[in-house]
Amino acid sequence: HRKIGEEIDFGPFHLPMDENDHIWALILNLNITSNPPGFRMGVPDEVMYTFKLETDNHTQTAWMWAGDGRKIPVVLAVVVEMDRLIEQYTGQKAHLP
């Protein structure tokens, strides 16, 4: 079982330009500041998605319960694509969606 705040590091990997452009287009479409945080109580063993974008002097973070995120098409698109990329480039299953 994972614990609150626990992160999984899948290590660094480089994407070809077309896949890099695609995932960034999905991330920018996510509009991280407009998605509401998950204020409800989670169900047992429910995952919380945390999206964090960092620049040199600013960090934006949004979080939501996975069950809620899967109902929002732009969130689901990012999660599904990240899951696919992690497995393709690391050989590890992330089990994100």
Side-chain angles (χ1 to χ4, degrees), residues 69-87:
R70 285 190 289 268
K71 296 174 187 172
I72 303 171
V74 294
V75 172
L76 184 59
V78 169
V79 172
V80 167
E81 183 65 4
M82 290 182 73
D83 190 70
R84 184 190 73 76
L85 291 171
I86 290 168
E87 184 172 351

Side-chain angles (χ1 to χ4, degrees), residues 82-97:
M82 290 182 73
D83 190 70
R84 184 190 73 76
L85 291 171
I86 290 168
E87 184 172 351
Q88 180 176 341
Y89 289 98
T90 70
Q92 300 177 61
K93 290 202 175 273
H95 304 285
L96 298 178

